Amino acid sequence: MQESIFWSDEEDVISHQYAYFSIKGVQYIIDFSSDPDLIANFTELDSRICEIVAGHHSYTVKFAVREYYEDHRNNKYLFDAPEDHNFGRKDIQQLKEFLEKFLYEHFKQYQVECYCFIAERDSLNRMYRKMCKRRHLLLADFEPIYGLGNEQNCFIIKTPLYGER
C-alpha cells in the first residue's frame, strides 16, 4: 500500500488533509477541507455553485505560503504572495504542476466528487484559468467550471466520480 502524501487533522468535525511543497525556496501548504459551512459560503457568492455541489462529496482547496498559514501573528493576509518571490514562468509552471498533482492524488485517496476554490488574487485567477483550459493529462477526465462568483474568481472541478454516489 502506498504511503499517503497527506496528513489529516480534524477541527470541530471538519476534516482537513494537508501537504507541503516548496518552490524557489518558498514553503507552501495545501489544505483540502470538507467543511460544509465553507462550501455554503461559496454558494452565497453564486447560486450556480450550490446547484453544482449540493448533495455531492465536495472539498474546498486552499494553498498558501506555509508561514502565513501557520503563524497568524505575522500580519500577513493568508493569501498574500510570498515576499520578494520574483517567480518566473518556469516557477509558475512548477506551482501549477504541484497543485494538479496534489488534486489528483487527493481525489484518488479520498474519492471526492468535486473541488471548490477561490482565486484570491488576479495572478491566481489567471493561473487557475490556465489550469482549467490546459489540464494536465492526469486531470483529462475532470470537468472544470470557472467564471463563477461576483468577481468570476470561483472555480469548481468535477471529478470522474461526480454524480455516481
Side-chain angles (χ1 to χ4, degrees):
M1 182 168 154
Q2 180 182 350
E3 185 177 321
S4 177
I5 59 173
F6 302 101
W7 77 95
S8 296
D9 189 15
E10 201 151 308
E11 301 171 14
D12 301 322
V13 302
I14 299 168
S15 175
H16 293 268
Q17 293 84 44
Y18 305 97
Y20 292 129
F21 62 101
S22 177
I23 297 173
K24 204 172 180 178
V26 177
Q27 290 287 317
Y28 287 95
I29 187 169
I30 188 164
D31 176 355
F32 294 90
S33 172
S34 66
D35 179 354
D37 291 335
L38 191 55
I39 292 170
N41 289 340
F42 272 89
T43 62
E44 291 175 13
L45 299 172
D46 191 324
S47 62
R48 294 175 292 174
I49 296 172
C50 183
E51 294 167 13
I52 296 167
V53 301
H56 294 280
H57 184 154
S58 303
Y59 271 74
T60 59
V61 182
K62 295 184 273 192
F63 85 94
V65 173
R66 181 177 175 181
E67 177 185 355
Y68 303 168
Y69 190 90
E70 294 179 344
D71 185 0
H72 301 289
R73 297 167 290 156
N74 64 22
N75 297 323
K76 287 289 195 178
Y77 176 61
L78 177 62
F79 300 106
D80 278 350
E83 291 182 20
D84 302 322
H85 67 285
N86 298 319
F87 281 3
R89 191 173 292 207
K90 183 178 169 185
D91 304 311
I92 293 168
Q93 179 62 30
Q94 186 181 20
L95 175 60
K96 177 183 170 291
E97 289 171 6
F98 268 116
L99 297 177
E100 290 166 333
K101 173 190 159 204
F102 285 126
L103 188 70
Y104 182 73
E105 291 298 327
H106 189 270
F107 160 71
K108 282 189 346 188
Q109 187 168 345
Y110 295 96
Q111 302 295 292
V112 176
E113 290 182 87
C114 57
Y115 293 96
C116 306
F117 49 103
I118 297 176
E120 298 288 343
R121 298 187 314 271
D122 288 340
S123 60
L124 288 178
N125 198 346
R126 288 189 302 274
M127 185 182 75
Y128 290 163
R129 284 177 182 268
K130 286 178 185 174
M131 284 175 63
C132 289
K133 291 178 182 178
R134 293 189 303 264
R135 292 186 304 284
H136 191 282
L137 286 177
L138 292 173
L139 305 178
D141 293 334
F142 289 53
E143 179 187 346
I145 303 168
Y146 53 94
L148 300 170
N150 297 335
E151 297 178 33
Q152 298 186 338
N153 63 341
C154 297
F155 296 77
I156 295 175
I157 304 287
K158 290 182 185 178
T159 74
L161 294 178
Y162 185 84
E164 290 187 6
R165 293 179 184 239

